[in-house]
Amino acid sequence: MSFEINHIKYIQAIVENDFNVTAAAHKIHISQPALSKSINLIESEYHVHIFTRDKHRLVGLSQQGKILYAIMLDILEKYEELENELRQLGTEPLLIKFGAIASTPQILFPGLFIDFESTHPNIHIEIIEDGGVNILHDFLQKKFDFALLVNPFELPPDLADVRLVAEDEIVAFLPLGHPLTSKAILTWEDLAEYPLVSLSDKYQTYFKVMEQFRIRGLEPHFAYTSSSWQYLTDAIQRNFVITLMPSLVPTFSSTDNIIIKRIKNPASFNLFLARLNKKHYSKENKLFYDFLNQHLPKLK
């Protein structure tokens, strides 16, 4: 058998998934038996032991494997550089993948991506929106070039360059006429006394809110959860409930007859721009990053 670039990607997937062959196979979209067979064939064909094993289970890289893996990563990097150069020389639009918590690009970067693409028509920004939990997970899996993250502190220190974009906090959205609207500032104890609606556990807002109740020994009553910020703001009046979300939400959602109250000792909701670290950045990546840096100081 001939050794191919995909074999390097197979080995990389195994290492990055803590030598769990099943998880690695899932990540690279092949079956676990096929991945195991490929690794066994490589080791047999070239008479090397890339991995150490414990009862047939992969547990680490052998001494040979460590030497080979370092070389493989260099080759993979050069291969990606070659791909980038081919795309730049060809006619296919260059692609930058940008992961973001749902609706935050419209809030923080209104018109910014359109402005960039109008001046660089050969570069396309693909925005992938999801809950903060999923965006963080996918960024850790290196599926994005850039991402907007709420809690980047879980990132390995060498994975990304991280920059604060906006400071925000969780606030309470109440319907007009709710008993708590008479208070200047709310407490978490106040909020635990009334029915709440919340973003689902796909969103870091949910975990930030639950943490505040947990550390105070409170048990809030959540009527239901949703993955739509717009749906929750609409539900405030319809169901006469309270929802807890970042204060930036009103910038894109109607707040007629909705009262917004700050919370004492609030949960922070700071947003960070993360750029995946690479030894060599493509030209389009550099152009986009420089463009963002020119506009980030203007963001509030």
Side-chain angles (χ1 to χ4, degrees), residues 21-40:
V21 178
T22 301
H26 178 74
K27 179 181 177 180
I28 56 181
H29 309 295
I30 66 171
S31 69
Q32 182 270 324
L35 178 57
S36 295
K37 182 179 179 180
S38 293
I39 297 302
N40 290 334

Side-chain angles (χ1 to χ4, degrees), residues 43-234:
E43 292 185 320
S44 175
E45 177 75 17
Y46 295 97
H47 306 288
V48 295
H49 294 288
I50 298 173
F51 298 100
T52 56
R53 291 168 170 81
D54 180 12
K55 297 179 181 178
H56 305 291
R57 183 172 61 88
L58 304 187
V59 294
L61 287 169
S62 68
Q63 287 302 315
Q64 291 177 321
K66 290 175 183 178
I67 295 170
L68 292 170
Y69 187 60
I71 297 171
M72 290 177 194
L73 291 182
D74 287 338
I75 292 171
L76 195 58
E77 185 177 334
K78 291 295 182 184
Y79 180 79
E80 291 173 352
E81 283 185 55
L82 176 60
E83 280 191 318
N84 286 329
E85 288 298 325
L86 287 170
R87 290 193 188 99
Q88 291 174 31
L89 293 172
T91 56
E92 182 182 348
L94 305 173
L95 181 66
I96 293 173
K97 292 191 174 183
F98 193 106
I101 299 165
S103 301
T104 52
Q106 301 96 299
I107 298 166
L108 296 176
F109 304 109
L112 197 62
F113 296 124
I114 295 174
D115 290 344
F116 178 80
E117 291 197 26
S118 67
T119 55
H120 302 88
N122 65 323
I123 303 175
H124 174 62
I125 311 298
E126 180 183 354
I127 303 173
I128 300 97
E129 295 188 65
D130 204 340
V133 174
N134 290 343
I135 292 296
L136 178 60
H137 173 270
D138 287 349
F139 189 74
L140 284 166
Q141 297 297 315
K142 302 182 180 180
K143 293 183 180 181
F144 308 130
D145 301 296
F146 297 85
L148 276 178
L149 304 173
V150 175
N151 186 9
F153 310 111
E154 297 176 25
L155 298 178
D158 59 345
L159 180 70
D161 174 52
V162 178
R163 175 175 180 177
L164 179 66
V165 173
E167 294 181 311
D168 198 16
E169 64 187 51
I170 305 294
V171 296
F173 292 69
L174 302 91
L176 194 66
H178 192 282
L180 290 181
T181 58
S182 62
K183 299 195 67 173
I185 189 166
L186 306 181
T187 65
W188 294 98
E189 287 78 7
D190 293 332
L191 296 167
E193 296 294 322
Y194 293 91
L196 306 170
V197 293
S198 169
L199 286 166
S200 71
D201 58 9
K202 286 174 54 180
Y203 292 82
Q204 287 167 320
T205 301
Y206 173 85
F207 293 101
K208 284 182 168 287
V209 166
M210 290 302 296
E211 176 67 8
Q212 294 300 319
F213 286 122
R214 186 193 66 79
I215 61 178
R216 292 169 174 81
L218 301 172
E219 294 186 7
H221 168 57
F222 284 101
Y224 56 86
T225 63
S226 170
S227 60
S228 168
W229 292 11
Q230 183 67 59
Y231 181 81
L232 292 178
T233 53
D234 291 343

Side-chain angles (χ1 to χ4, degrees), residues 282-295:
S282 64
K283 292 178 182 177
E284 64 269 22
N285 188 297
K286 292 177 182 177
L287 282 170
F288 184 60
Y289 190 56
D290 289 343
F291 183 84
L292 286 178
N293 278 328
Q294 292 173 11
H295 292 80

